[in-house]
Amino acid sequence: MIPVNEFSLVGNEAKYLKECVDSGWISSEGPFVRRFEEEFASFVGVKYGIAVCNGTAALETALFALGIKAGDEVIMPSFTIISCAIACIRLGAKPVLVDIEPDNCTIDVNQIEGRITPKTKAIMPVHIYGHPVDMDKVFELAEKYKLKIIADFAEAQGAQYYSNKKRKWMQCGAMSDVSATSFYANKIITTGEGGMVVTDNPEYAGKSRAYRNLCFGIDERFSHDELGYNFRMTNLQAAIGVARLEQVDKFIKIKRKLAEHYKTRLAEIKQIRFLTEKSYAKSVYWVYAIELKPEFGVDAKELMVRLRKYGVETRPFFKGMHTQPVFVKSGLFRGEKYPNTDFAYKYGLYLPSGLALTENQIDKVVEALREALK
Ligand SMILES: *Cc1c(COP(=O)(O)O)cnc(C)c1O
């Protein structure tokens, strides 16, 4: 079986973990946490990093830092992980959905303005599958309507966007008031489980630090003004993070090189297409995502079953937020339609994408695709 995500821990991971064990620092108080925060923030190109226990917690912490509360609305894509909606709902706010662009599955920025109401407080662009959102329109709307931008770059660590408005290349994670990322095992940088909030704003950084640590008092430790969480990251996780971050340039090179190989080989198969890299983007190809052309009568579910028989593991695309059983039950998005999201869900899947993947394995995946679509 060619697994969907395989990688090896061949850098300083074991060495740094041993340092934790030898020194006895295994909790969040250990020195790797600060170091990882500083080094990751510097990699992204922002001032502050606040490490937390996972990406979902990072999103909620970031929204809290912005002051999002009951009655507020946050605009986000219908095609994303449920974490984005959960983070919002936990704070009592309402997720407001926007459909995606058909060729790269990122939020359709031209549909955002139509969803802005007097309750809208923030826009949450989600950089999808390694590819950045077309941010210039988001910058413009945030300015015009005085909205905050909170980006989810869990899938786009290291990806870049060329802003015509600002006339420069910008890093995903450095284009918003506050951004959140995940270090789950399949992300470009992993700590096993983990996440981080990044920002240039000292107030948001302070609020994030408070929220992840029970909002302990500053003058009097056990005096709490607000309800926080224990979202802390351990020194063990941060040690892995520091070691992975040392290798990030290599990881991105590997991802881009394998994408080129997939792209070339897949061009021979008429029933499918590779998601497009826009001219404004330097994607990190977090996963190798394809869509089936509907005219050939095979959908993603069917293809996934067939590929499994050829020893190729795949993953489906996101299921639209408007179709999630939990939200259908509560009537949250009743009557709303997002056809591009529905299409991506039905016809999209991603192929083996791990850092340990070889060109030879890609050739086998492409061969399996050819056979499975015969
Ligand atoms: C992985 C992911 C998350 C959630 O991260 P966890 O660490 O699993 O909580 C959030 N947003 C996106 C876009 C993701 O891909």
Side-chain angles (χ1 to χ4, degrees):
M1 185 64 80
I2 302 179
V4 78
N5 178 46
E6 191 178 20
F7 60 91
S8 47
L9 301 161
V10 293
N12 285 322
E13 293 86 349
K15 179 176 170 228
Y16 294 162
L17 277 176
K18 186 166 182 303
E19 281 180 33
C20 297
V21 173
D22 289 347
S23 68
W25 281 112
I26 55 175
S27 78
S28 62
E29 289 291 317
F32 278 113
V33 176
R34 250 308 144 86
R35 182 166 158 199
F36 185 42
E37 289 178 336
E38 279 167 13
E39 291 178 3
F40 187 78
S42 143
F43 162 70
V44 174
V46 298
K47 287 202 188 105
Y48 309 101
I50 300 90
V52 293
C53 54
N54 59 61
T56 308
L59 282 163
E60 183 175 331
T61 303
L63 286 170
F64 174 83
L66 287 179
I68 301 297
K69 55 183 186 326
D72 293 342
E73 292 180 359
V74 177
I75 295 179
M76 65 181 65
S78 43
F79 183 86
T80 184
I81 192 165
I82 198 165
S83 305
C84 302
I86 287 178
C88 213
I89 290 166
R90 297 265 193 243
L91 290 166
K94 181 173 184 251
V96 171
L97 306 180
V98 170
D99 207 357
I100 52 170
E101 293 196 33
D103 54 351
N104 70 356
C105 292
T106 57
I107 188 167
D108 181 351
V109 293
N110 292 312
Q111 292 191 45
I112 294 176
E113 192 163 19
R115 303 291 278 149
I116 294 174
T117 75
K119 291 182 181 164
T120 309
K121 290 288 155 54
I123 304 172
M124 184 189 286
V126 183
H127 308 296
I128 294 281
Y129 300 154
H131 194 288
V133 168
D134 188 0
M135 291 296 293
D136 275 345
K137 185 77 187 179
V138 180
F139 297 146
E140 186 191 312
L141 293 172
E143 234 172 75
K144 182 169 167 191
Y145 293 95
K146 308 249 173 305
L147 304 175
K148 300 294 180 204
I149 304 175
I150 176 236
D152 177 343
F153 71 118
E155 303 183 355
Q157 295 156 1
Q160 293 182 44
Y161 170 72
Y162 185 80
S163 168
N164 266 317
K165 197 174 149 77
K166 306 193 180 186
R167 303 206 157 271
K168 59 177 177 182
W169 283 97
M170 303 177 81
Q171 274 258 12
C172 284
M175 300 189 287
S176 37
D177 294 284
V178 50
S179 299
T181 200
S182 161
F183 302 120
Y184 180 63
N186 66 358
K187 309 293 158 124
I188 302 259
I189 301 289
T190 182
T191 59
E193 300 284 351
M196 202 177 296
V197 175
V198 297
T199 181
D200 273 324
N201 181 309
E203 183 201 330
Y204 300 153
K207 283 180 105 173
S208 298
R209 282 187 206 291
Y211 196 65
R212 85 162 161 195
N213 194 22
L214 302 172
C215 293
F216 277 118
I218 291 169
D219 297 330
E220 194 185 340
R221 182 169 171 84
F222 292 107
S223 168
H224 307 257
D225 288 335
E226 285 187 278
L227 292 182
Y229 275 95
N230 175 354
F231 280 163
R232 300 184 300 257
M233 174 185 276
T234 68
N235 202 45
L236 298 165
Q237 292 167 312
I240 301 263
V242 169
R244 297 307 278 173
L245 191 55
E246 287 170 352
Q247 305 164 71
V248 69
D249 293 340
K250 183 180 78 187
F251 294 162
I252 293 170
K253 251 190 222 133
I254 291 172
K255 286 283 194 188
R256 287 191 62 90
K257 181 159 161 280
L258 294 178
E260 275 312 310
H261 195 67
Y262 259 126
K263 227 186 278 189
T264 317
R265 295 299 319 274
L266 288 172
E268 304 157 23
I269 301 180
K270 63 178 186 300
Q271 294 97 329
I272 60 177
R273 63 180 199 86
F274 207 60
L275 294 192
T276 316
E277 184 180 34
K278 300 285 182 80
S279 57
Y280 63 67
K282 281 195 192 128
S283 173
V284 287
Y285 294 97
W286 173 60
V287 294
Y288 302 118
I290 60 168
E291 281 180 350
L292 283 145
K293 298 180 188 164
E295 60 267 32
F296 294 98
V298 180
D299 66 14
K301 275 209 177 97
E302 170 65 29
L303 180 61
M304 289 177 70
V305 171
R306 292 188 196 173
L307 284 173
R308 184 158 271 280
K309 292 198 186 120
Y310 289 99
V312 175
E313 194 188 21
T314 55
R315 287 278 184 281
F317 273 15
F318 293 123
K319 181 174 163 69
M321 288 305 109
H322 59 299
T323 63
Q324 293 296 337
V326 60
F327 299 142
V328 170
K329 238 184 299 175
S330 69
L332 185 59
F333 307 118
R334 187 175 294 132
E336 297 179 21
K337 289 198 168 52
Y338 303 99
N340 294 343
T341 296
D342 296 342
F343 180 94
Y345 170 62
K346 184 150 196 253
Y347 292 106
L349 67 153
Y350 62 87
L351 302 171
S353 306
L355 285 162
L357 192 71
T358 63
E359 292 194 354
N360 184 32
Q361 283 178 313
I362 291 181
D363 293 344
K364 285 189 181 139
V365 171
V366 174
E367 207 40 55
L369 271 167
R370 200 192 309 278
E371 288 298 317
L373 290 168
K374 251 188 192 150

